[in-house]
Each structure stands twice: as structure tokens, then as C-alpha cells.
Amino acid sequence: MTDGGIRVRTRAEVAVLTRANIIGHITREIAAVFKPSDETLETVLRGFRGGYLEQLELMLNNSAGESVGYVAIEVDWATYSVALREGTKKNSYRLDPTKPVTGQVAPALAKAIAYMSAVAAEIGVVSCDAVYTYRAGRQEEGRKALGTVPLNEKKNSELRKLRSEVQMVVSDKETSEITVSFGHSGRGAASSA
Amino acid sequence: MIPYIPERFRRRVITHAVGVMTVERHPLLLAIQGQPGDGKSFQLRYSLEAAGCTPFTLSASLLAGQYEGDAVAALQATYSNAGEFARMNPECFPALVIEDFDLSPAGQRNGVQYTVNSQLLSGFLMHLADDVTSCGVGTSERFPLFVTGNDLASLHGPLTRPGRMEIFSWEPSTEERADVVHSLLVPHLSPFTRQDAARLIKKYPGQPISAFAAALTDCLARRSYEIVALTGSLSRRTLQRELAKNDEVPIADYLAALTERANPQFSLRNFIQAGR
């Protein structure tokens, strides 16, 4: 379009996402790094977008079936609610649907994704087990919506051990309600950041 | 601690919120008008919070944008935020509050030129009151919308018609004033009874409730100054600790501060003396 020598480039393909949607997409993109099943990715997206989940923990497995790493994605819904109430943060994002959401909204988390992706390749992550924590008061509703099952004792004790291996905690100021923690046991060829 | 709120005020606010929630054609807007300083905004916020509502507050100044349609966009965004908040927190119920609404672009005073924003904002509010679903706010839920102001006669007529807006004129009675002033002062003045509060109201007729609160604030500020002078420290923590130890105000000091506020001496001689 031209007007008096000024050219304005317009792009028709723009997706407008609300803040809750953004949280769902970012958590999904982070989880996708660790090769979870499609059902897990769907559960992550629906769980965070619908406000059912508070935390997602991933136990990262190598080809021998050993747990070699740990990722936790936590959403602080109180911070999210304050951002909505005070109007201090954006609640509507116009995005390019052809590019990852994280890179457009939260650059620090995009860098964390790149780093975790490199480490996951080095330590040979081939699959992961997902553990979900529901928000207080939304457990029953969330279980019905997402269809999750209780964690068994063996996995629970493995998870407790993995939690102590966190080496990196990242948050982006644009999406301050999302915190990502990452750690690995050092097995495989991975070196520290 | 939730401060004392007159029952008549609290009941009117809650009735409106509950009405919007449960009755299909209940007016969406409740306008609370009254003299400045009688606690409309303050009491509204605490009434809503005490009832478990989450207020989404918007000051009229935020409705004055640089461009045409900014006012509508700001209100639309706040309503949309409230909608998302309700979706993500199903146990909570949001309410929208616009403070000093008569000073917003929706107010149309004589002799003041108004912009297209005034028409757009009034139009949007009328539309919202009639049908939330077609307002582009991302939700079909109706949330109670409260507006406060000193003179709501300057609003666009059709906006205030029955079915869209209810108007509540808040003029606290002498009894209500005495109750509020008593609850305000009793933690700081000792002994201070309900009868003392009633006598105070009688002695200073025409003073808004905020004048009684401001006189107390004056005394507490002076106490802070004395602490600073004594300790030589401007540390906020020290000040808060010292004030928490003893936040009682001598009645004579309070009365002097109130008299000063009620009868301000703006003579040149007083200014020169204050300067010395």
C-alpha cells in the first residue's frame, strides 16, 4: 500500500493470543524439546491454557531407560492474576503463526530452550515421563479434563532425587509467571553451560 | 483488616453484584455519586473484596487516550482481562470499577468541548449494558460495572436510563458518619467512644469523612517526624517499628489538627509566620 511515497507493509496472517494461551504454547514448546509423546504435549497445552496445572515436571530418559535429567515448568497463577488485574502486563499478543511463540514473546526462555535442546542431544535424551501438579482447588476438575493417573511410588522417589539436581532456573520478564528449572546428572557427553 | 463499611452502602453494592450475576436483565452499571471525601471509592473496593469479588479498577484518567477509540480500547481490554481472570479462576468473581467517571471522556460538561472519544465511550458502555456478547470483549459473561463520581448529571442521558444504569446517591447520615469516624479513630485515640465520635461530627458539621481521616494522618506524620528527629534515622523499617510500638495519638493533638483542617488560616500573616 502506498500513500505519498510511504509504503506500509501489511501481513494478513496474524494470530492473536491471550495471555493464558501464550502460557499454554510456551510450556508446550519447552516440553517439546525433550521428545514427549503427542498426548503429553496435548495435555500440557490444555492443562496450562485451561489454568488446571501449576507445574509440569519431566523426567528425562536416555536410550538405556535411565533418568539422566530433570525439567520443571512452573506457572505462578497469582502473578498472572495480578498482571491481569493491574493491567501491568499485556494480555493480548499479535503473533506470526509461522514462528515459535516463545521466540516472539519471551526471548530469555527461547535461549533456555536452545541451551536445553543442545544439552538433551548431548546426554542422549530419547524420551521423558511427565508428572503434573494441579492448581489448588482445581484438581478434580483438572483430572476430569486431562485424564491423568496418580504417580507410583517408584517414580515418585526417582523424581525426588532428580529435583535435587537442578542447575539452572530461568524466567523471562515478559512472562514472569513462568519459571523453568533444568538439571542433568552429567551422564553422557554433556558439559556444563 | 477490613475497615468498617456502613451496612446501607455494603448492601447496595453487593445487591448490584449479585443481581448482575443472577438476574438476566439486571442493569450492568451501578453509578455511585456523592460528595468528595465520603469514602465512595474506598468503601466500594472493600465491600467488593469482603464479598469475595475481585475488583478490576480503572481510573478515569486512563480512559483519556491520545487517539480516537483509545478510551474504548482501554475499557475493552479491562473487561477482557476480567473475562480471562474469571475463566482461569472459576471460584472468583470479577467486578469492574471506574473511578471518577464524571471526569472521564464520558462526562459532558457545559462549555467544555468533548471529543469523539466521549461518544465512543458512552456508545460502548450502552452497548455493553445491552449485550456483552457483541462487544468484542472475548467473553459472554456479564460482570458488574461500578462507576463513582461527584456529579454524574454530566453523563450522556441514554446511558443512565433505567435498565442500563442504576444510580445510588451516597450521602451518609449523621449516624453512619459517626460509625465510620469511630471505627477510624478508635485504634489511635484512647479512650474514644461512639458518643465521642457523634460529638465530633456535631462539632465539625459539613466536614467530609476524609477530613477526620486526614487529621489523624497529620498527627501520625508528626509522630514520624518526632521519631526521625529523635533517632536521626530516616530508615523506613525503624520508623514503622517505632510507630507500631505506639501509634496512639493524644486527643488534644488530634482536635488541634482537625480544627486546623476545618478552619484553614490562609492569611498572609500566617504564611509569613509559617515561613519563619
Side-chain angles (χ1 to χ4, degrees):
Chain A
M1 184 171 72
T2 57
D3 183 12
I6 300 169
R7 176 169 291 182
V8 180
R9 208 174 269 174
T10 57
R11 177 188 279 274
E13 316 83 41
V14 172
V16 180
L17 296 184
T18 63
R19 198 166 183 85
N21 258 310
I22 291 288
I23 291 172
H25 280 281
I26 289 178
T27 48
R28 186 184 181 280
E29 282 175 11
I30 296 170
V33 169
F34 305 101
K35 303 182 174 68
S37 64
D38 288 348
E39 290 77 25
T40 302
L41 288 179
E42 183 64 20
T43 305
V44 171
L45 178 64
R46 287 200 295 132
F48 282 107
R49 193 171 57 187
Y52 301 117
L53 295 176
E54 185 173 287
Q55 193 183 38
L56 164 73
E57 292 172 290
L58 296 174
M59 300 160 75
L60 313 181
N61 305 320
N62 63 13
S63 54
E66 296 169 318
S67 291
V68 290
Y70 168 82
V71 180
I73 307 164
E74 196 180 346
V75 175
D76 182 350
W77 291 106
T79 305
Y80 163 84
S81 297
V82 169
L84 282 192
R85 275 181 66 179
E86 308 288 324
T88 49
K89 291 265 167 76
K90 274 170 79 175
N91 188 35
S92 180
Y93 294 82
R94 293 170 67 80
L95 302 170
D96 181 343
T98 61
K99 293 177 183 165
V101 171
T102 313
Q104 298 180 66
V105 175
L109 292 183
K111 282 183 183 166
I113 287 179
Y115 169 70
M116 290 188 294
S117 182
V119 174
E122 280 198 52
I123 61 177
V125 174
V126 294
S127 66
C128 64
D129 296 318
V131 180
Y132 308 98
T133 306
Y134 288 99
R135 278 173 75 187
R138 300 206 70 187
Q139 189 155 2
E140 286 308 309
E141 197 187 346
R143 275 211 177 119
K144 272 184 203 159
L146 306 178
T148 55
V149 293
L151 190 66
N152 66 39
E153 192 44 47
K154 185 171 167 256
K155 284 281 178 199
N156 204 0
S157 67
E158 256 181 68
L159 186 65
R160 274 200 296 271
K161 189 169 160 283
L162 285 168
R163 277 177 187 151
S164 63
E165 290 176 358
V166 168
Q167 294 145 345
M168 178 182 92
V169 179
V170 189
S171 183
D172 189 291
K173 65 175 179 170
E174 291 300 321
T175 52
S176 51
E177 58 269 63
I178 305 175
T179 308
V180 181
S181 310
F182 175 64
H184 60 89
S185 59
R187 276 173 278 187
S191 57
S192 60
Chain B
M1 192 183 81
I2 292 175
Y4 173 80
I5 296 160
E7 175 60 20
R8 189 165 59 95
F9 188 95
R10 200 180 63 81
R11 200 173 51 230
R12 189 69 191 84
V13 168
I14 304 304
T15 306
H16 179 72
V18 172
V20 173
M21 264 190 261
T22 53
V23 181
E24 202 181 331
R25 301 295 299 169
H26 194 283
L28 193 77
L29 292 114
L30 176 68
I32 304 173
Q33 67 172 354
Q35 292 301 310
D38 276 344
K40 295 179 295 297
S41 301
F42 177 82
Q43 291 175 170
L44 174 60
R45 191 174 77 237
Y46 281 105
S47 301
L48 289 170
E49 283 178 359
C53 278
T54 307
F56 281 67
T57 306
L58 200 61
S59 164
S61 60
L62 295 175
L63 290 174
Q66 191 180 357
Y67 299 107
E68 187 180 302
D70 278 359
V72 169
L75 188 56
Q76 215 169 12
T78 307
Y79 201 101
S80 160
N81 283 354
E84 186 162 336
F85 178 84
R87 192 166 65 80
M88 302 302 278
N89 302 282
E91 74 285 2
C92 296
F93 192 80
L96 274 77
V97 176
I98 307 176
E99 288 176 353
D100 303 316
F101 191 57
D102 49 339
L103 301 180
S104 76
Q108 299 170 357
R109 283 178 178 70
N110 285 339
V112 177
Q113 286 192 333
Y114 58 90
T115 65
V116 72
N117 259 341
S118 310
Q119 297 162 354
L120 293 175
L121 184 61
S122 297
F124 180 74
L125 278 168
M126 288 194 290
H127 200 174
L128 197 64
D130 293 343
D131 181 16
V132 171
T133 50
S134 58
C135 291
V137 288
T139 178
S140 58
E141 277 196 74
R142 297 176 89 232
F143 303 126
L145 208 158
F146 297 87
V147 301
T148 64
N150 301 129
D151 174 21
L152 298 174
S154 61
L155 299 184
H156 183 52
L159 176 63
T160 60
R161 77 154 167 76
R164 283 192 180 132
M165 182 187 275
E166 287 186 325
I167 294 181
F168 173 42
S169 292
W170 174 239
E171 280 177 48
S173 65
T174 314
E175 293 294 299
E176 286 166 335
R177 277 176 195 276
D179 285 336
V180 174
V181 169
H182 177 244
S183 73
L184 194 75
L185 299 181
V186 76
H188 302 282
L189 303 183
S190 177
F192 188 74
T193 62
R194 168 71 175 65
Q195 284 73 22
D196 292 334
R199 272 197 291 272
L200 211 55
I201 299 282
K202 208 171 169 187
K203 192 177 172 191
Y204 297 95
Q207 289 299 319
I209 290 166
S210 61
F212 295 93
L216 177 67
T217 316
D218 287 347
C219 293
L220 292 173
R222 269 177 219 153
R223 167 68 58 79
S224 304
Y225 174 74
E226 284 163 15
I227 295 168
V228 171
L230 203 68
T231 60
S233 164
L234 261 177
S235 150
R236 195 168 54 173
R237 198 171 288 175
T238 311
L239 272 173
Q240 283 171 343
R241 195 178 55 228
E242 292 297 322
L243 265 181
K245 272 188 209 164
N246 180 13
D247 61 354
E248 282 211 358
V249 172
I251 290 183
D253 288 2
Y254 177 75
L255 289 177
L258 188 59
T259 308
E260 206 176 301
R261 282 209 162 251
N263 308 303
Q265 302 292 315
F266 286 130
S267 70
L268 182 61
R269 184 184 293 172
N270 284 344
F271 276 121
I272 293 168
Q273 269 181 353
R276 280 175 190 156

